[in-house]
mmCIF file of all heavy atoms in Angstrom:
data_model
loop_
_atom_site.group_PDB
_atom_site.id
_atom_site.type_symbol
_atom_site.label_atom_id
_atom_site.label_comp_id
_atom_site.label_asym_id
_atom_site.label_seq_id
_atom_site.Cartn_x
_atom_site.Cartn_y
_atom_site.Cartn_z
ATOM 1 N N GLY A 152 -17.407 2.119 33.245
ATOM 2 C CA GLY A 152 -16.655 2.030 31.993
ATOM 3 C C GLY A 152 -16.248 3.382 31.461
ATOM 4 O O GLY A 152 -16.702 3.828 30.407
ATOM 5 N N MET A 153 -15.377 4.060 32.223
ATOM 6 C CA MET A 153 -14.884 5.381 31.846
ATOM 7 C C MET A 153 -13.369 5.375 32.042
ATOM 8 O O MET A 153 -12.875 5.024 33.112
ATOM 9 C CB MET A 153 -15.551 6.445 32.722
ATOM 10 C CG MET A 153 -15.411 7.871 32.253
ATOM 11 S SD MET A 153 -16.277 9.005 33.400
ATOM 12 C CE MET A 153 -17.965 8.909 32.818
ATOM 13 N N LEU A 154 -12.637 5.741 31.011
ATOM 14 C CA LEU A 154 -11.174 5.665 31.038
ATOM 15 C C LEU A 154 -10.576 6.784 31.879
ATOM 16 O O LEU A 154 -10.877 7.961 31.676
ATOM 17 C CB LEU A 154 -10.640 5.737 29.599
ATOM 18 C CG LEU A 154 -9.124 5.722 29.405
ATOM 19 C CD1 LEU A 154 -8.496 4.430 29.927
ATOM 20 C CD2 LEU A 154 -8.782 5.906 27.921
ATOM 21 N N CYS A 155 -9.700 6.424 32.829
ATOM 22 C CA CYS A 155 -8.972 7.396 33.646
ATOM 23 C C CYS A 155 -7.763 7.907 32.860
ATOM 24 O O CYS A 155 -6.891 7.126 32.465
ATOM 25 C CB CYS A 155 -8.474 6.756 34.940
ATOM 26 S SG CYS A 155 -9.736 6.163 36.059
ATOM 27 N N ASP A 156 -7.708 9.225 32.666
ATOM 28 C CA ASP A 156 -6.626 9.885 31.937
ATOM 29 C C ASP A 156 -5.746 10.637 32.940
ATOM 30 O O ASP A 156 -6.250 11.301 33.851
ATOM 31 C CB ASP A 156 -7.240 10.838 30.911
ATOM 32 C CG ASP A 156 -6.225 11.551 30.037
ATOM 33 O OD1 ASP A 156 -5.013 11.297 30.168
ATOM 34 O OD2 ASP A 156 -6.664 12.385 29.211
ATOM 35 N N LEU A 157 -4.424 10.553 32.746
ATOM 36 C CA LEU A 157 -3.474 11.121 33.713
ATOM 37 C C LEU A 157 -2.502 12.112 33.086
ATOM 38 O O LEU A 157 -1.464 12.419 33.664
ATOM 39 C CB LEU A 157 -2.684 9.980 34.373
ATOM 40 C CG LEU A 157 -3.531 8.916 35.071
ATOM 41 C CD1 LEU A 157 -2.685 7.702 35.443
ATOM 42 C CD2 LEU A 157 -4.226 9.479 36.288
ATOM 43 N N SER A 158 -2.847 12.673 31.933
ATOM 44 C CA SER A 158 -1.899 13.494 31.180
ATOM 45 C C SER A 158 -1.416 14.726 31.944
ATOM 46 O O SER A 158 -0.224 15.025 31.962
ATOM 47 C CB SER A 158 -2.529 13.928 29.858
ATOM 48 O OG SER A 158 -2.936 12.806 29.108
ATOM 49 N N HIS A 159 -2.333 15.455 32.563
ATOM 50 C CA HIS A 159 -1.983 16.683 33.291
ATOM 51 C C HIS A 159 -1.874 16.449 34.795
ATOM 52 O O HIS A 159 -1.897 17.391 35.572
ATOM 53 C CB HIS A 159 -3.034 17.770 33.054
ATOM 54 C CG HIS A 159 -3.016 18.389 31.692
ATOM 55 N ND1 HIS A 159 -2.604 19.688 31.471
ATOM 56 C CD2 HIS A 159 -3.360 17.897 30.477
ATOM 57 C CE1 HIS A 159 -2.718 19.971 30.178
ATOM 58 N NE2 HIS A 159 -3.180 18.897 29.555
ATOM 59 N N VAL A 160 -1.783 15.205 35.192
ATOM 60 C CA VAL A 160 -1.846 14.820 36.603
ATOM 61 C C VAL A 160 -0.442 14.694 37.179
ATOM 62 O O VAL A 160 0.501 14.305 36.493
ATOM 63 C CB VAL A 160 -2.636 13.501 36.744
ATOM 64 C CG1 VAL A 160 -2.710 13.049 38.195
ATOM 65 C CG2 VAL A 160 -4.043 13.662 36.167
ATOM 66 N N GLY A 161 -0.288 15.017 38.449
ATOM 67 C CA GLY A 161 1.000 14.906 39.125
ATOM 68 C C GLY A 161 1.486 13.466 39.200
ATOM 69 O O GLY A 161 0.697 12.518 39.127
ATOM 70 N N ALA A 162 2.787 13.303 39.392
ATOM 71 C CA ALA A 162 3.403 11.975 39.352
ATOM 72 C C ALA A 162 2.883 11.052 40.452
ATOM 73 O O ALA A 162 2.612 9.869 40.211
ATOM 74 C CB ALA A 162 4.921 12.109 39.445
ATOM 75 N N THR A 163 2.735 11.573 41.670
ATOM 76 C CA THR A 163 2.273 10.733 42.781
ATOM 77 C C THR A 163 0.816 10.327 42.588
ATOM 78 O O THR A 163 0.461 9.150 42.737
ATOM 79 C CB THR A 163 2.442 11.465 44.122
ATOM 80 O OG1 THR A 163 3.820 11.807 44.299
ATOM 81 C CG2 THR A 163 1.998 10.595 45.283
ATOM 82 N N THR A 164 -0.026 11.299 42.255
ATOM 83 C CA THR A 164 -1.439 10.990 42.004
ATOM 84 C C THR A 164 -1.559 9.998 40.857
ATOM 85 O O THR A 164 -2.350 9.043 40.923
ATOM 86 C CB THR A 164 -2.235 12.273 41.699
ATOM 87 O OG1 THR A 164 -2.152 13.159 42.821
ATOM 88 C CG2 THR A 164 -3.695 11.966 41.435
ATOM 89 N N SER A 165 -0.782 10.190 39.804
ATOM 90 C CA SER A 165 -0.830 9.276 38.651
ATOM 91 C C SER A 165 -0.489 7.850 39.068
ATOM 92 O O SER A 165 -1.204 6.899 38.725
ATOM 93 C CB SER A 165 0.149 9.737 37.566
ATOM 94 O OG SER A 165 -0.264 10.955 36.995
ATOM 95 N N LYS A 166 0.594 7.704 39.815
ATOM 96 C CA LYS A 166 1.016 6.363 40.243
ATOM 97 C C LYS A 166 -0.069 5.699 41.076
ATOM 98 O O LYS A 166 -0.362 4.509 40.912
ATOM 99 C CB LYS A 166 2.313 6.457 41.043
ATOM 100 C CG LYS A 166 2.870 5.095 41.469
ATOM 101 C CD LYS A 166 4.211 5.241 42.161
ATOM 102 C CE LYS A 166 4.774 3.873 42.519
ATOM 103 N NZ LYS A 166 6.101 3.996 43.191
ATOM 104 N N GLU A 167 -0.701 6.481 41.955
ATOM 105 C CA GLU A 167 -1.723 5.904 42.822
ATOM 106 C C GLU A 167 -2.992 5.551 42.056
ATOM 107 O O GLU A 167 -3.656 4.558 42.373
ATOM 108 C CB GLU A 167 -2.000 6.855 43.991
ATOM 109 C CG GLU A 167 -0.799 6.949 44.935
ATOM 110 C CD GLU A 167 -0.988 7.891 46.102
ATOM 111 O OE1 GLU A 167 -2.057 8.540 46.199
ATOM 112 O OE2 GLU A 167 -0.062 7.983 46.929
ATOM 113 N N VAL A 168 -3.336 6.325 41.011
ATOM 114 C CA VAL A 168 -4.473 5.965 40.155
ATOM 115 C C VAL A 168 -4.158 4.682 39.390
ATOM 116 O O VAL A 168 -5.005 3.778 39.279
ATOM 117 C CB VAL A 168 -4.829 7.107 39.178
ATOM 118 C CG1 VAL A 168 -5.869 6.636 38.154
ATOM 119 C CG2 VAL A 168 -5.357 8.323 39.931
ATOM 120 N N ILE A 169 -2.948 4.588 38.857
ATOM 121 C CA ILE A 169 -2.537 3.389 38.114
ATOM 122 C C ILE A 169 -2.680 2.147 38.995
ATOM 123 O O ILE A 169 -3.189 1.101 38.554
ATOM 124 C CB ILE A 169 -1.087 3.534 37.599
ATOM 125 C CG1 ILE A 169 -1.017 4.615 36.515
ATOM 126 C CG2 ILE A 169 -0.554 2.206 37.071
ATOM 127 C CD1 ILE A 169 0.394 5.077 36.178
ATOM 128 N N LEU A 170 -2.261 2.260 40.239
ATOM 129 C CA LEU A 170 -2.327 1.124 41.163
ATOM 130 C C LEU A 170 -3.758 0.869 41.640
ATOM 131 O O LEU A 170 -4.133 -0.285 41.905
ATOM 132 C CB LEU A 170 -1.415 1.371 42.361
ATOM 133 C CG LEU A 170 0.083 1.418 42.055
ATOM 134 C CD1 LEU A 170 0.877 1.818 43.292
ATOM 135 C CD2 LEU A 170 0.578 0.072 41.520
ATOM 136 N N GLU A 171 -4.566 1.922 41.769
ATOM 137 C CA GLU A 171 -5.924 1.797 42.288
ATOM 138 C C GLU A 171 -6.886 1.228 41.262
ATOM 139 O O GLU A 171 -7.803 0.470 41.598
ATOM 140 C CB GLU A 171 -6.428 3.176 42.735
ATOM 141 C CG GLU A 171 -7.766 3.164 43.448
ATOM 142 C CD GLU A 171 -7.707 2.577 44.848
ATOM 143 O OE1 GLU A 171 -6.617 2.549 45.447
ATOM 144 O OE2 GLU A 171 -8.766 2.146 45.349
ATOM 145 N N SER A 172 -6.693 1.603 39.991
ATOM 146 C CA SER A 172 -7.648 1.226 38.955
ATOM 147 C C SER A 172 -7.576 -0.265 38.638
ATOM 148 O O SER A 172 -6.500 -0.839 38.504
ATOM 149 C CB SER A 172 -7.386 2.032 37.680
ATOM 150 O OG SER A 172 -8.324 1.681 36.680
ATOM 151 N N LYS A 173 -8.745 -0.848 38.492
ATOM 152 C CA LYS A 173 -8.831 -2.259 38.108
ATOM 153 C C LYS A 173 -8.864 -2.423 36.592
ATOM 154 O O LYS A 173 -8.859 -3.538 36.083
ATOM 155 C CB LYS A 173 -10.087 -2.890 38.713
ATOM 156 C CG LYS A 173 -10.166 -2.812 40.236
ATOM 157 C CD LYS A 173 -9.022 -3.566 40.911
ATOM 158 C CE LYS A 173 -9.224 -3.674 42.423
ATOM 159 N NZ LYS A 173 -9.040 -2.358 43.107
ATOM 160 N N LYS A 174 -8.936 -1.289 35.891
ATOM 161 C CA LYS A 174 -8.936 -1.302 34.433
ATOM 162 C C LYS A 174 -7.772 -0.456 33.919
ATOM 163 O O LYS A 174 -7.220 0.357 34.663
ATOM 164 C CB LYS A 174 -10.272 -0.760 33.899
ATOM 165 C CG LYS A 174 -11.452 -1.676 34.206
ATOM 166 C CD LYS A 174 -12.712 -1.187 33.525
ATOM 167 C CE LYS A 174 -13.870 -2.151 33.762
ATOM 168 N NZ LYS A 174 -15.109 -1.705 33.074
ATOM 169 N N PRO A 175 -7.377 -0.636 32.658
ATOM 170 C CA PRO A 175 -6.268 0.162 32.115
ATOM 171 C C PRO A 175 -6.541 1.655 32.213
ATOM 172 O O PRO A 175 -7.693 2.098 32.105
ATOM 173 C CB PRO A 175 -6.202 -0.281 30.639
ATOM 174 C CG PRO A 175 -6.839 -1.632 30.612
ATOM 175 C CD PRO A 175 -7.897 -1.606 31.676
ATOM 176 N N VAL A 176 -5.488 2.429 32.439
ATOM 177 C CA VAL A 176 -5.577 3.888 32.453
ATOM 178 C C VAL A 176 -4.641 4.424 31.375
ATOM 179 O O VAL A 176 -3.903 3.659 30.745
ATOM 180 C CB VAL A 176 -5.224 4.465 33.842
ATOM 181 C CG1 VAL A 176 -6.135 3.874 34.909
ATOM 182 C CG2 VAL A 176 -3.764 4.215 34.185
ATOM 183 N N CYS A 177 -4.655 5.742 31.159
ATOM 184 C CA CYS A 177 -3.837 6.275 30.070
ATOM 185 C C CYS A 177 -3.248 7.639 30.393
ATOM 186 O O CYS A 177 -3.717 8.355 31.274
ATOM 187 C CB CYS A 177 -4.665 6.385 28.788
ATOM 188 S SG CYS A 177 -5.820 7.792 28.744
ATOM 189 N N TYR A 178 -2.183 7.946 29.687
ATOM 190 C CA TYR A 178 -1.780 9.326 29.411
ATOM 191 C C TYR A 178 -2.280 9.564 27.992
ATOM 192 O O TYR A 178 -1.694 9.068 27.037
ATOM 193 C CB TYR A 178 -0.263 9.492 29.443
ATOM 194 C CG TYR A 178 0.405 9.225 30.770
ATOM 195 C CD1 TYR A 178 1.469 8.311 30.864
ATOM 196 C CD2 TYR A 178 0.023 9.895 31.919
ATOM 197 C CE1 TYR A 178 2.111 8.081 32.069
ATOM 198 C CE2 TYR A 178 0.660 9.667 33.130
ATOM 199 C CZ TYR A 178 1.706 8.748 33.201
ATOM 200 O OH TYR A 178 2.333 8.523 34.392
ATOM 201 N N SER A 179 -3.366 10.289 27.823
ATOM 202 C CA SER A 179 -3.947 10.426 26.476
ATOM 203 C C SER A 179 -3.115 11.334 25.583
ATOM 204 O O SER A 179 -3.134 11.196 24.362
ATOM 205 C CB SER A 179 -5.378 10.969 26.546
ATOM 206 O OG SER A 179 -5.385 12.331 26.954
ATOM 207 N N HIS A 180 -2.379 12.280 26.203
ATOM 208 C CA HIS A 180 -1.587 13.225 25.398
ATOM 209 C C HIS A 180 -0.403 13.718 26.239
ATOM 210 O O HIS A 180 -0.547 14.580 27.078
ATOM 211 C CB HIS A 180 -2.454 14.381 24.897
ATOM 212 C CG HIS A 180 -3.142 15.185 25.955
ATOM 213 N ND1 HIS A 180 -4.057 14.652 26.831
ATOM 214 C CD2 HIS A 180 -3.063 16.508 26.278
ATOM 215 C CE1 HIS A 180 -4.511 15.585 27.640
ATOM 216 N NE2 HIS A 180 -3.917 16.727 27.326
ATOM 217 N N CYS A 181 0.750 13.123 25.983
ATOM 218 C CA CYS A 181 1.950 13.518 26.730
ATOM 219 C C CYS A 181 3.180 13.375 25.846
ATOM 220 O O CYS A 181 3.120 12.819 24.750
ATOM 221 C CB CYS A 181 2.098 12.675 27.996
ATOM 222 S SG CYS A 181 2.667 10.977 27.710
ATOM 223 N N LEU A 182 4.296 13.887 26.344
ATOM 224 C CA LEU A 182 5.594 13.759 25.686
ATOM 225 C C LEU A 182 6.632 13.330 26.722
ATOM 226 O O LEU A 182 6.404 13.450 27.927
ATOM 227 C CB LEU A 182 6.004 15.090 25.036
ATOM 228 C CG LEU A 182 5.314 15.409 23.700
ATOM 229 C CD1 LEU A 182 5.495 16.867 23.321
ATOM 230 C CD2 LEU A 182 5.837 14.497 22.589
ATOM 231 N N PRO A 183 7.782 12.842 26.274
ATOM 232 C CA PRO A 183 8.795 12.346 27.204
ATOM 233 C C PRO A 183 9.722 13.445 27.721
ATOM 234 O O PRO A 183 10.226 14.259 26.943
ATOM 235 C CB PRO A 183 9.575 11.341 26.360
ATOM 236 C CG PRO A 183 9.472 11.859 24.964
ATOM 237 C CD PRO A 183 8.123 12.530 24.865
ATOM 238 N N SER A 184 9.941 13.465 29.018
ATOM 239 C CA SER A 184 10.907 14.419 29.576
ATOM 240 C C SER A 184 12.335 14.035 29.194
ATOM 241 O O SER A 184 13.247 14.849 29.323
ATOM 242 C CB SER A 184 10.763 14.525 31.100
ATOM 243 O OG SER A 184 10.871 13.259 31.711
ATOM 244 N N GLY A 185 12.518 12.815 28.685
ATOM 245 C CA GLY A 185 13.831 12.407 28.186
ATOM 246 C C GLY A 185 14.277 13.201 26.976
ATOM 247 O O GLY A 185 15.478 13.277 26.686
ATOM 248 N N LEU A 186 13.327 13.812 26.263
ATOM 249 C CA LEU A 186 13.657 14.672 25.129
ATOM 250 C C LEU A 186 13.576 16.149 25.490
ATOM 251 O O LEU A 186 14.257 16.979 24.892
ATOM 252 C CB LEU A 186 12.731 14.380 23.941
ATOM 253 C CG LEU A 186 12.927 13.025 23.251
ATOM 254 C CD1 LEU A 186 11.906 12.845 22.123
ATOM 255 C CD2 LEU A 186 14.344 12.893 22.697
ATOM 256 N N LYS A 187 12.716 16.498 26.464
ATOM 257 C CA LYS A 187 12.635 17.880 26.952
ATOM 258 C C LYS A 187 12.055 17.876 28.362
ATOM 259 O O LYS A 187 10.973 17.326 28.590
ATOM 260 C CB LYS A 187 11.760 18.745 26.036
ATOM 261 C CG LYS A 187 11.688 20.210 26.494
ATOM 262 C CD LYS A 187 10.946 21.075 25.503
ATOM 263 C CE LYS A 187 10.942 22.538 25.944
ATOM 264 N NZ LYS A 187 10.313 23.419 24.945
ATOM 265 N N GLU A 188 12.761 18.484 29.275
ATOM 266 C CA GLU A 188 12.281 18.566 30.656
ATOM 267 C C GLU A 188 11.179 19.620 30.740
ATOM 268 O O GLU A 188 11.371 20.775 30.351
ATOM 269 C CB GLU A 188 13.427 18.931 31.594
ATOM 270 C CG GLU A 188 13.109 18.719 33.062
ATOM 271 C CD GLU A 188 12.793 17.280 33.415
ATOM 272 O OE1 GLU A 188 13.497 16.365 32.942
ATOM 273 O OE2 GLU A 188 11.808 17.071 34.153
ATOM 274 N N HIS A 189 10.016 19.195 31.231
ATOM 275 C CA HIS A 189 8.871 20.114 31.352
ATOM 276 C C HIS A 189 7.892 19.480 32.332
ATOM 277 O O HIS A 189 7.737 18.255 32.355
ATOM 278 C CB HIS A 189 8.199 20.318 29.989
ATOM 279 C CG HIS A 189 7.203 21.430 29.961
ATOM 280 N ND1 HIS A 189 5.928 21.298 30.497
ATOM 281 C CD2 HIS A 189 7.276 22.699 29.486
ATOM 282 C CE1 HIS A 189 5.275 22.430 30.343
ATOM 283 N NE2 HIS A 189 6.061 23.298 29.734
ATOM 284 N N PRO A 190 7.203 20.301 33.157
ATOM 285 C CA PRO A 190 6.257 19.724 34.128
ATOM 286 C C PRO A 190 5.176 18.844 33.503
ATOM 287 O O PRO A 190 4.635 17.959 34.165
ATOM 288 C CB PRO A 190 5.629 20.969 34.784
ATOM 289 C CG PRO A 190 6.643 22.042 34.633
ATOM 290 C CD PRO A 190 7.330 21.775 33.320
ATOM 291 N N ARG A 191 4.855 19.097 32.238
ATOM 292 C CA ARG A 191 3.815 18.314 31.568
ATOM 293 C C ARG A 191 4.333 17.023 30.946
ATOM 294 O O ARG A 191 3.548 16.173 30.527
ATOM 295 C CB ARG A 191 3.132 19.177 30.496
ATOM 296 C CG ARG A 191 1.894 19.866 30.963
ATOM 297 C CD ARG A 191 0.676 18.954 31.012
ATOM 298 N NE ARG A 191 0.128 18.728 29.674
ATOM 299 C CZ ARG A 191 0.144 17.570 29.050
ATOM 300 N NH1 ARG A 191 0.696 16.506 29.611
ATOM 301 N NH2 ARG A 191 -0.379 17.455 27.838
ATOM 302 N N ASN A 192 5.642 16.878 30.849
ATOM 303 C CA ASN A 192 6.200 15.691 30.220
ATOM 304 C C ASN A 192 6.435 14.588 31.241
ATOM 305 O O ASN A 192 6.569 14.840 32.435
ATOM 306 C CB ASN A 192 7.480 16.053 29.473
ATOM 307 C CG ASN A 192 7.203 16.907 28.241
ATOM 308 O OD1 ASN A 192 6.048 17.106 27.864
ATOM 309 N ND2 ASN A 192 8.244 17.429 27.628
ATOM 310 N N LYS A 193 6.494 13.350 30.756
ATOM 311 C CA LYS A 193 6.592 12.180 31.630
ATOM 312 C C LYS A 193 7.983 11.555 31.537
ATOM 313 O O LYS A 193 8.542 11.405 30.442
ATOM 314 C CB LYS A 193 5.535 11.140 31.239
ATOM 315 C CG LYS A 193 4.102 11.686 31.170
ATOM 316 C CD LYS A 193 3.609 12.235 32.490
ATOM 317 C CE LYS A 193 2.185 12.753 32.387
ATOM 318 N NZ LYS A 193 1.690 13.356 33.641
ATOM 319 N N SER A 194 8.509 11.175 32.683
ATOM 320 C CA SER A 194 9.833 10.555 32.732
ATOM 321 C C SER A 194 9.786 9.149 32.146
ATOM 322 O O SER A 194 8.717 8.531 32.021
ATOM 323 C CB SER A 194 10.330 10.484 34.174
ATOM 324 O OG SER A 194 9.557 9.545 34.917
ATOM 325 N N ASP A 195 10.959 8.625 31.808
ATOM 326 C CA ASP A 195 11.038 7.248 31.313
ATOM 327 C C ASP A 195 10.414 6.284 32.325
ATOM 328 O O ASP A 195 9.729 5.330 31.943
ATOM 329 C CB ASP A 195 12.499 6.855 31.073
ATOM 330 C CG ASP A 195 13.134 7.606 29.911
ATOM 331 O OD1 ASP A 195 12.460 8.475 29.317
ATOM 332 O OD2 ASP A 195 14.310 7.325 29.606
ATOM 333 N N GLU A 196 10.674 6.546 33.611
ATOM 334 C CA GLU A 196 10.155 5.670 34.668
ATOM 335 C C GLU A 196 8.626 5.706 34.714
ATOM 336 O O GLU A 196 7.974 4.661 34.871
ATOM 337 C CB GLU A 196 10.723 6.093 36.028
ATOM 338 C CG GLU A 196 12.212 5.863 36.209
ATOM 339 C CD GLU A 196 13.077 6.853 35.440
ATOM 340 O OE1 GLU A 196 12.576 7.959 35.089
ATOM 341 O OE2 GLU A 196 14.263 6.531 35.182
ATOM 342 N N GLU A 197 8.047 6.898 34.566
ATOM 343 C CA GLU A 197 6.592 7.022 34.567
ATOM 344 C C GLU A 197 5.977 6.315 33.364
ATOM 345 O O GLU A 197 4.940 5.646 33.477
ATOM 346 C CB GLU A 197 6.183 8.492 34.567
ATOM 347 C CG GLU A 197 6.448 9.216 35.863
ATOM 348 C CD GLU A 197 6.157 10.700 35.762
ATOM 349 O OE1 GLU A 197 6.898 11.423 35.069
ATOM 350 O OE2 GLU A 197 5.171 11.140 36.380
ATOM 351 N N LEU A 198 6.611 6.477 32.200
ATOM 352 C CA LEU A 198 6.114 5.828 30.988
ATOM 353 C C LEU A 198 6.176 4.307 31.113
ATOM 354 O O LEU A 198 5.233 3.602 30.756
ATOM 355 C CB LEU A 198 6.924 6.293 29.778
ATOM 356 C CG LEU A 198 6.772 7.772 29.406
ATOM 357 C CD1 LEU A 198 7.845 8.192 28.417
ATOM 358 C CD2 LEU A 198 5.373 8.056 28.839
ATOM 359 N N LYS A 199 7.261 3.812 31.656
ATOM 360 C CA LYS A 199 7.406 2.363 31.827
ATOM 361 C C LYS A 199 6.408 1.838 32.856
ATOM 362 O O LYS A 199 5.824 0.764 32.681
ATOM 363 C CB LYS A 199 8.841 2.020 32.250
ATOM 364 C CG LYS A 199 9.128 0.525 32.289
ATOM 365 C CD LYS A 199 10.585 0.239 32.577
ATOM 366 C CE LYS A 199 10.903 -1.250 32.436
ATOM 367 N NZ LYS A 199 10.045 -2.106 33.276
ATOM 368 N N PHE A 200 6.175 2.609 33.917
ATOM 369 C CA PHE A 200 5.291 2.166 34.986
ATOM 370 C C PHE A 200 3.859 1.983 34.493
ATOM 371 O O PHE A 200 3.203 0.976 34.787
ATOM 372 C CB PHE A 200 5.331 3.171 36.149
ATOM 373 C CG PHE A 200 4.635 2.698 37.390
ATOM 374 C CD1 PHE A 200 5.269 1.845 38.287
ATOM 375 C CD2 PHE A 200 3.331 3.094 37.676
ATOM 376 C CE1 PHE A 200 4.635 1.397 39.438
ATOM 377 C CE2 PHE A 200 2.678 2.655 38.823
ATOM 378 C CZ PHE A 200 3.336 1.800 39.709
#
Side-chain angles (χ1 to χ4, degrees):
M153 194 179 277
L154 178 62
C155 297
D156 182 2
L157 303 169
S158 303
H159 287 250
V160 179
T163 302
T164 300
S165 292
K166 183 175 183 179
E167 292 179 358
V168 171
I169 292 166
L170 294 174
E171 187 72 22
S172 181
K173 302 298 189 289
K174 292 187 176 181
V176 303
C177 76
Y178 297 126
S179 70
H180 58 299
C181 75
L182 282 165
S184 55
L186 291 178
K187 182 174 183 176
E188 194 61 43
H189 191 283
R191 266 281 283 113
N192 291 352
K193 307 299 181 183
S194 69
D195 292 3
E196 292 74 21
E197 289 174 290
L198 294 167
K199 187 174 187 305
F200 190 82

